[in-house]
Amino acid sequence: MSEPSAATTTIVHRPFGGMAGYRILSDRASRAVVHAFCLTDLAAVSSSGLLAGGCAYLLIGAGMAYVGESGKPMRRLAEHAADPTKAFAQDAFVISGCDGAAFDKSLSLDFQWRLTRELVDLGSVAVVKGANPVRPDLPLADRSTHDRIYTDALRLLHDAGCTIFAPANRSRDVAGSSIPTATDTASAGGADAEDSGPMAIGVSAAAADGESFELTYCNVWARAYRSGGRFVVAAGSDIRTATNDSVDTVTRKRRSELFRAGVLTEIAGVSDRRRLMVAVAFPTESIAAKVVCGAHSTPPWTSLPPRAVVLTV
């Protein structure tokens, strides 16, 4: 029996005509439909009456994204458009069901949770959250069905021009260039090949070449430098408290060891991160980023230019 074809078909419908503006993307083999439009066209999209019923949605702009869900998308999007905290949003991508297969509440909530988790893991944009989405408790049969619909939805989002579901570029050649990071490749043992080597807590080391690097992720800021063939995260850096579901076993063990070592202190008024009180050496910059961020896919470490503050009094 021959393997099924990997080819897919996406149908793009432009209700207002032309080559730009409101578009609806679908695939007759899928339950998912994606509506894509600029928020400046919200009134026209609403008056078309083509978008209604349960959905999950993304508001995107200025390197940020907000993920929501609603049973009344046009009313909810209008509320966001009037909300100063969503002023960054330029484009809306709404994932809903096709005719005769509307999204129920559990599917909308599940998609909100999945989209949020994936964006946080990828680090391609800053994720703006209200209440932290919670994964709905679903029977295994429903979860597997959602898996298939979600895969189709990501493809349709891509075809609609939503490009944020791709890992952040790890080797940008720009001013303040990032450190090249080895590609994460799973080994036969189930852990990343680059994940070998010890983590040393409480090292005494200085930057070998005077160059420092920084990393920002989900309100976390960390500073690091190279020393003696190791990549050292400096005391005073932030360590994220949450660990993403996609994180591998080795990284989880390293984070557990770090949290048990008594070298992290609470930050007043902050619950999502801790302050590192000693320097910690890692085999590679990639491992350091995973442990600091509690994520499998992280932004790159970037060169930290020298800064000087001159006090005149």
Side-chain angles (χ1 to χ4, degrees), residues 61-248:
M64 296 184 284
Y66 176 86
V67 184
E69 65 81 26
S70 179
K72 298 180 178 179
M74 299 316 304
R75 186 179 73 179
R76 190 70 182 111
L77 291 175
E79 291 171 350
H80 288 313
D83 183 353
T85 66
K86 307 298 190 310
F88 66 88
Q90 299 173 352
D91 297 298
F93 296 89
V94 182
I95 308 166
S96 62
C98 63
D99 291 342
F103 278 20
D104 59 21
K105 189 68 172 180
S106 68
L107 186 53
S108 299
L109 287 169
D110 193 23
F111 269 42
Q112 181 190 27
W113 179 82
R114 289 172 186 246
L115 292 165
T116 301
R117 182 193 62 175
E118 186 145 354
L119 288 177
V120 169
D121 284 356
L122 290 172
S124 57
V125 291
V127 180
V128 179
K129 297 182 183 179
N132 200 41
V134 177
R135 187 174 196 177
D137 186 14
L138 300 170
L140 289 178
D142 288 350
R143 188 164 295 170
S144 62
T145 299
H146 290 193
D147 288 344
R148 296 179 63 181
I149 303 172
Y150 184 72
T151 299
D152 290 334
L154 288 180
R155 174 171 54 82
L156 293 172
L157 281 170
H158 180 273
D159 291 350
C162 181
T163 60
I164 61 176
F165 289 94
N169 192 344
R170 292 173 177 266
S171 56
R172 292 173 295 175
D173 188 16
V174 295
S177 61
S178 61
I179 303 170
T181 302
T183 302
D184 292 339
T185 304
S187 66
D192 289 348
E194 68 184 70
D195 272 344
S196 60
M199 175 180 74
I201 299 174
V203 299
S204 176
D209 56 5
E211 187 177 17
S212 295
F213 303 90
E214 65 177 353
L215 180 149
T216 57
Y217 178 89
C218 293
N219 297 322
V220 167
W221 182 87
R223 185 176 70 86
Y225 50 86
R226 297 190 185 98
S227 180
R230 298 180 295 178
F231 195 77
V232 180
V233 176
S237 297
D238 295 339
I239 303 294
R240 183 168 171 251
T241 54
T243 302
N244 294 344
D245 292 344
S246 60
V247 169
D248 58 83

